[in-house]
Amino acid sequence: MPTRVFTGLKPTGSLQLGNYLGAIRPLLDLAADPGADVVVCVADLHALTVEHDPALLRARTRELATTLLACGLDPSARLFVQSTVPAHTELAHLLECTATYGEMTRMVQFKEKSAGSDSIRLSLLTYPALMAADILAHDTEVVPVGEDQRQHLELTTTLARRFNARYGETFVIPRGSTPPTTARLKDLRDPRSKMGKTGSDGAGVLFLLDDPDTVAAKVRRAVTDGEPSLAFDPDGRPGVANLATLLGALTGRSPEEALAGLRGAGALKSAVTEAVVAALDPVRCRYAELEADPAEVDRVLRAGRDAVAPGAVATTARAREAIGLLGVA
């Protein structure tokens, strides 16, 4: 049987090129692997852990789903919205009853996001239990995980083993899979900071839906230096190194190879603009087609929900029975 793989993405902002290279492209490769049974979740409930605008959350949830499809995600990968499968939240409570307060407060992301704040949503503390439910509900075997989420996956496996030991074998124990090393893109205007979909004014961020003129303008204003010769030196010449990394990632070369034959920042920026536009134009055009046909996106999300919900309900029913809840037909 194919290996069950689960991945979730939070709709907290428009996807940018770093997301594409680091998460979406590896996900597309996984979905195309006949040995992988891929489940993809738009994790909208996780966006409720901080202050948010309801209308914007709905819009971003649809935008994320549409963007994944525009990037080439096959609907057969079972794409669905987390909140449309209530088993996730029911199972999350059972896992909260398995976890401890100390385990939750030790989560690095909770410490970072709650630091200096007097008013913190309780869901920010408990959302690792929901993340564990997301994974365990689908009998997940493999979770692609970056370094920033590894602690949460470790908690998931801890809770699953503890539940199984106390109440009987209920959950499949997942394991993490580190995606292939990808380019770590920096902000074009601040090449020592990560290119992120949130937390900046967007001037140095290349979003997947940026049109060619916008791409050209952002790359043109990217920080470099006045040296006519080009060299890959992340510490001494971070702006040039960032553009070289970007160009290499999009053209299948190392940063050093990407700089070969180019002279001066102008030539480098021109090559980067051409490569970015070539990569993003198909995505942007397909997104426009899907945006004009929202019923098709809804159909894919319904099909994904209907495909995964029975399994999630069955897993949650096993957990309910194991933990001692009364089932009444």
Side-chain angles (χ1 to χ4, degrees), residues 37-51:
D37 175 19
V38 179
V39 174
V40 185
C41 170
V42 179
D44 56 341
L45 293 172
H46 290 299
L48 304 182
T49 59
V50 295
E51 192 67 33

Side-chain angles (χ1 to χ4, degrees), residues 127-172:
Y127 92 91
L130 177 57
M131 183 178 293
D134 296 337
I135 295 168
L136 298 177
H138 302 285
D139 292 335
T140 302
E141 297 168 277
V142 174
V143 182
V145 61
E147 199 57 42
D148 59 335
Q149 292 295 337
R150 189 167 297 280
Q151 188 185 33
H152 287 146
L153 180 60
E154 290 171 355
L155 177 63
T156 297
T157 60
T158 296
L159 296 182
R161 289 194 173 99
R162 182 181 301 156
F163 193 102
N164 287 354
R166 288 179 178 174
Y167 308 116
E169 289 297 319
T170 304
F171 298 120
V172 173

Side-chain angles (χ1 to χ4, degrees), residues 9-10 12-28 64 67-68 71 148 182-185 194-198 205-208:
L9 298 95
K10 188 164 61 173
T12 52
S14 297
L15 293 174
Q16 42 89 2
L17 199 54
N19 301 134
Y20 176 77
L21 294 173
I24 297 176
R25 200 157 68 176
L27 173 60
L28 298 178
L64 176 53
T67 303
L68 290 172
C71 287
D148 59 335
T182 57
R184 296 183 178 274
L185 301 187
K194 178 182 176 181
M195 182 182 288
K197 60 182 179 179
T198 58
V205 180
L206 294 169
F207 294 104
L208 295 190

Side-chain angles (χ1 to χ4, degrees), residues 124-307:
L124 183 62
L125 175 67
T126 61
Y127 92 91
L130 177 57
M131 183 178 293
D134 296 337
I135 295 168
L136 298 177
H138 302 285
D139 292 335
T140 302
E141 297 168 277
V142 174
V143 182
V145 61
E147 199 57 42
D148 59 335
Q149 292 295 337
R150 189 167 297 280
Q151 188 185 33
H152 287 146
L153 180 60
E154 290 171 355
L155 177 63
T156 297
T157 60
T158 296
L159 296 182
R161 289 194 173 99
R162 182 181 301 156
F163 193 102
N164 287 354
R166 288 179 178 174
Y167 308 116
E169 289 297 319
T170 304
F171 298 120
V172 173
I173 307 299
R175 60 181 175 85
S177 172
T178 303
T181 301
T182 57
R184 296 183 178 274
L185 301 187
K186 306 295 185 180
D187 191 287
L188 298 183
R189 303 302 298 275
D190 181 10
R192 296 192 186 276
S193 299
K194 178 182 176 181
M195 182 182 288
K197 60 182 179 179
T198 58
S200 76
D201 62 6
V205 180
L206 294 169
F207 294 104
L208 295 190
L209 301 181
D210 281 346
D211 60 60
D213 289 342
T214 300
V215 169
K218 288 181 177 180
V219 175
R220 187 167 56 248
R221 291 193 287 268
V223 170
T224 51
D225 55 48
E227 289 290 330
S229 61
L230 300 174
F232 183 67
D233 180 3
D235 294 326
R237 305 178 69 181
V240 171
N242 187 36
L243 292 182
T245 298
L246 172 54
L247 180 59
L250 291 175
T251 57
R253 296 177 291 173
S254 70
E256 293 85 354
E257 291 170 339
L259 290 175
L262 298 176
R263 183 169 177 79
L268 175 58
K269 290 180 178 181
S270 178
V272 168
T273 298
E274 183 179 342
V276 172
V277 169
L280 297 190
D281 248 16
V283 175
R284 188 173 54 83
C285 292
R286 179 57 180 153
Y287 184 94
E289 294 173 357
L290 291 167
E291 188 178 34
D293 186 13
E296 172 60 15
V297 178
D298 288 344
R299 184 196 67 76
V300 171
L301 293 175
R302 275 196 306 271
R305 176 202 64 196
D306 294 345

